[in-house]
């Protein structure tokens, strides 16, 4: 594959723990499992910022969110966001993944959720079909390239899959880069085909041990309603969102999450079948990942955005032209995807990229790179370092530049995978001091948007 087609398939809010090939024996994800069996699966893959817009921006630029966006969450601090999507390039100012492929003569296309500023055509996409509303699976308004868009019938995931297949069926002389975004298992969990809503028995759903705190299972009526209906509950206050189903608890919630994850898996299977049908499978690289995880009641927390395993751990699989491998040693990250793909396709990696090319690991030449860890930012101001065996964290002050003396954490994930014993300030001061020095140095040296050339 000298100039292969490339597809980055990104789902939303899927944590690695709830995929079959990552060790979950209950959930059914045969198509993702097939990618892992035939490709390279990274067991230790993390999101560099476990919130949608920062994570997606990081993937598209190979940069930390402070560098490519200038802030750490979906919205800038205290100021109103511009109309979505923006028609100016105040964010993602450096070379993006589609721009880099376009410079190599590739066609570039976006399908599915965008949730990035600015508009897709400003950062290198020749074609874009994306939903205007981020979090709904029916009644969705789709924009084709520009404009206000139109409402489509049926489930948006099916509509996107059909349009992806139409794109794959086209005759073309040049290879393509496709950024394909599948919105589930992100909420609203109740907005899905009955097949998936009824697929899993809540009584048979395993829960992570850290969903029990003080002997009590995580429960939050408000969050449960958000998971079920999203903005239709907290913004529109529609009648059907007023009451939870009788007896609804964390097992029911997780069963729905599993169902929508299998919906993602079926959609991945549809993609792979269409590649085969159009004779593209042998000339295409597919990367499957998620932007971040989901807390789903662990530590009695919901949604994402925290410096904990449930928020940051994601599936990451490279498929196509590789010897099968399950890598359990290298910490991979979202910002590594851009340089890895560009290197595999013989393209130059821009100097602005902060991630690392994983090529030597993918090719089986090495089990790990010399640099084996990932730095993580969060919308709460916590920053962290994830190594193969530990997670170390610090808290930034409100200025997001100064490190606080409070909020430190250190977890030995080999001995304590559910992060129930914070070792910060304990006896292993040498290890903690080393992690602190690395994180402080990274925080001081990693520029914020607009500060790259300062000083």
């Amino acid at each position: 594959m000298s100039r292969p087609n490339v597809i980055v398939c990104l789902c939303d809010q899927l944590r690695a723990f709830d995929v079959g090939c990552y060790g979950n024996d209950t959930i059914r994800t045969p198509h993702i499992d097939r990618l892992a069996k035939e490709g390279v699966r990274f067991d230790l893959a993390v999101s560099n910022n476990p919130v949608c817009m920062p994570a997606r921006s990081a993937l598209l630029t190979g940069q930390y969110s402070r560098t490519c966006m200038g802030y750490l969450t979906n919205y800038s601090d205290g100021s109103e966001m511009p109309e979505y999507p923006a028609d100016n390039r105040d964010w993602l100012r450096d070379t993006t993944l589609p721009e880099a492929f376009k410079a190599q003569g590739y066609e570039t296309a976006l399908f599915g959720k965008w949730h990035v500023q600015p508009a897709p055509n400003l950062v290198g996409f020749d074609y874009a079909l994306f939903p205007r509303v981020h979090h709904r699976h029916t009644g969705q308004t789709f924009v084709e390239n520009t404009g206000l868009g139109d409402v489509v019938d049926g489930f948006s995931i099916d509509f996107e899959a059909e349009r992806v297949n139409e794109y794959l069926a086209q005759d073309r002389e040049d290879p393509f880069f496709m950024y394909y975004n599948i919105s589930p298992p992100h909420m609203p969990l109740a907005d899905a085909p009955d097949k998936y809503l009824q697929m899993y028995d809540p009584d048979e759903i395993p829960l992570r041990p850290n969903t029990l705190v003080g002997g009590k299972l995580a429960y939050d009526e408000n969050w449960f309603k958000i998971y079920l209906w999203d903005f239709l509950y907290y913004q529109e206050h529609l009648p059907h969102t007023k009451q939870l189903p009788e007896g609804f608890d964390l097992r029911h919630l997780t069963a729905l999450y599993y169902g929508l994850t299998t919906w993602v898996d079926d959609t991945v299977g549809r993609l792979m079948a269409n590649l085969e049908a159009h004779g593209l499978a042998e000339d295409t690289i597919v990367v499957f990942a998620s932007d971040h995880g989901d807390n789903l009641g662990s530590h009695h927390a919901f949604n994402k955005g925290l410096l904990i395993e449930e928020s940051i751990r994601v599936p990451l699989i490279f498929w196509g032209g590789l010897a099968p491998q399950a890598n359990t040693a290298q910490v991979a990250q979202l910002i590594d995807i851009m340089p890895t793909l560009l290197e595999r396709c013989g393209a130059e990696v821009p100097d602005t990229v902060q991630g690392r090319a994983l090529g030597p690991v993918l090719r089986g030449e090495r089990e790990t790179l010399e640099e084996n860890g990932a730095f993580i930012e969060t919308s709460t101001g916590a920053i962290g370092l994830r190594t193969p065996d530990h997670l170390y964290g610090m808290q930034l002050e409100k200025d997001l530049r100064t490190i606080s003396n409070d909020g430190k954490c250190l977890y030995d994930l080999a001995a304590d995978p559910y992060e129930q014993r914070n070792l910060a300030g304990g006896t292993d001061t040498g290890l903690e001091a080393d992690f602190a020095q690395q994180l402080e140095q990274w925080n001081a040296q990693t520029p914020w948007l607009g500060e790259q050339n300062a000083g």
Side-chain angles (χ1 to χ4, degrees):
M1 291 193 290
S2 58
R3 284 216 308 164
N5 306 307
V6 177
I7 299 175
V8 174
C9 182
L10 191 72
C11 65
D12 197 335
Q13 203 149 320
L14 174 59
R15 60 189 189 182
F17 309 113
D18 294 329
V19 183
C21 59
Y22 282 84
N24 189 310
D25 296 328
T26 301
I27 200 160
R28 297 192 285 277
T29 53
H31 303 293
I32 299 171
D33 297 348
R34 174 209 159 187
L35 291 180
K37 183 178 180 180
E38 297 176 354
V40 177
R41 175 181 67 84
F42 285 92
D43 188 58
L44 301 177
V46 300
S47 173
N48 296 99
N49 189 327
V51 177
C52 291
M53 186 179 286
R56 291 163 183 272
S57 299
L59 186 155
L60 287 167
T61 59
Q63 297 178 331
Y64 298 103
S65 53
R66 64 174 62 187
T67 303
C68 63
M69 291 177 60
Y71 46 94
L72 306 182
T73 187
N74 285 339
Y75 303 100
S76 54
D77 298 329
S79 61
E80 185 176 345
M81 285 292 289
E83 182 178 349
Y84 176 83
D87 60 1
N88 60 75
R89 196 165 175 177
D90 289 341
W91 307 269
L92 279 62
R93 297 177 186 174
D94 295 316
T95 303
T96 63
L97 189 52
E99 285 177 319
F101 273 112
K102 193 170 182 177
Q104 297 297 310
Y106 277 65
E107 295 182 16
T108 58
L110 160 72
F111 291 91
K113 181 175 179 178
W114 180 230
H115 205 177
V116 171
Q117 296 282 23
N121 65 298
L122 297 184
V123 293
F125 284 106
D126 299 318
Y127 177 81
L129 180 74
F130 60 97
R132 177 164 289 280
V133 183
H134 301 136
H135 303 148
R136 65 185 309 163
H137 307 316
T138 56
Q140 181 60 264
T141 300
F142 274 90
V143 175
E144 189 167 24
N145 294 322
T146 60
L148 297 178
D150 299 297
V151 177
V152 302
D153 295 330
F155 288 102
S156 57
I157 288 78
D158 293 332
F159 174 75
E160 293 162 356
E162 291 167 3
R163 297 298 294 271
V164 165
N165 186 40
E166 292 174 6
Y167 183 85
L168 295 177
Q170 295 174 12
D171 292 327
R172 54 174 58 84
E173 295 182 359
D174 296 318
F176 64 82
F177 166 74
M178 179 190 294
Y179 183 44
Y180 179 24
N181 293 267
I182 304 171
S183 291
H186 194 292
M187 55 201 72
L189 300 184
D191 188 12
D194 287 341
K195 169 185 176 181
Y196 301 108
L197 298 180
Q198 301 172 11
M199 181 168 285
Y200 294 93
D201 183 347
D203 293 334
E204 298 178 359
I205 295 297
L207 297 177
R208 291 172 70 76
N210 56 16
T211 58
L212 282 169
V213 178
K216 293 184 178 181
L217 188 64
Y219 183 91
D220 189 306
E221 181 179 349
N222 185 57
W223 267 115
F224 286 176
K225 290 180 177 179
I226 295 173
Y227 271 94
L228 287 177
W229 300 298
D230 203 87
F231 73 96
L232 295 180
Y233 159 67
Y234 62 77
Q235 181 174 308
E236 302 296 331
H237 309 292
L238 294 180
H240 70 273
T241 68
K242 292 185 181 299
Q243 298 295 328
L244 291 174
E246 185 176 354
F248 193 88
D249 63 13
L250 185 62
R251 291 188 184 278
H252 293 84
L253 181 73
T254 309
L256 293 176
Y257 180 85
Y258 275 31
L260 268 70
T261 298
T262 298
W263 192 13
V264 171
D265 185 78
D266 285 346
T267 307
V268 171
R270 188 171 176 176
L271 169 67
M272 300 308 294
N274 288 333
L275 285 176
E276 292 279 358
H278 299 302
L280 297 170
E282 293 186 1
D283 299 313
T284 301
I285 294 169
V286 176
V287 179
F288 177 79
S290 177
D291 54 355
H292 50 73
D294 193 316
N295 299 326
L296 271 181
S298 288
H299 309 287
H300 283 201
F302 292 94
N303 209 20
K304 63 268 186 177
L306 302 182
L307 190 64
I308 59 176
E309 287 285 273
E310 290 79 12
S311 275
I312 66 175
R313 286 283 295 282
V314 295
L316 178 59
I317 301 166
F318 289 80
W319 180 92
L322 296 166
Q325 177 193 162
N327 183 283
T328 60
Q330 175 67 46
V331 179
Q333 52 188 346
L334 292 185
I335 61 173
D336 294 340
I337 292 174
M338 178 173 177
T340 301
L341 288 175
L342 293 178
E343 181 192 72
R344 283 201 68 195
C345 296
E348 184 176 348
V349 178
D351 293 337
T352 53
V353 167
Q354 295 164 324
R356 313 153 302 202
L358 298 168
V361 179
L362 291 179
R363 294 188 295 270
E365 298 168 0
R366 314 180 47 165
E367 188 176 27
T368 66
L369 304 176
E370 290 184 11
E371 183 182 344
N372 191 8
F375 294 103
I376 299 162
E377 305 166 285
T378 72
S379 56
T380 64
I383 56 173
L385 169 61
R386 178 60 159 90
T387 72
D389 294 318
H390 293 85
L391 178 65
Y392 178 72
M394 294 175 158
Q395 182 67 38
L396 297 176
E397 299 284 7
K398 290 183 178 180
D399 64 5
L400 298 181
R401 305 297 194 276
T402 309
I403 293 177
S404 171
N405 290 324
D406 301 320
K408 295 181 174 62
C409 66
L410 173 61
Y411 295 103
D412 181 345
L413 297 172
D416 178 27
Y418 300 104
E419 297 166 291
Q420 295 174 312
R421 297 186 298 277
N422 185 359
L423 304 177
T427 56
D428 200 346
T429 55
L431 182 67
E432 184 173 354
D434 178 56
F435 288 155
Q437 188 273 333
Q438 292 183 59
L439 191 54
E440 289 169 354
Q441 183 177 27
W442 172 85
N443 184 61
Q445 295 181 350
T446 304
W448 288 73
L449 182 70
E451 296 178 1
Q452 288 94 325
N453 299 319

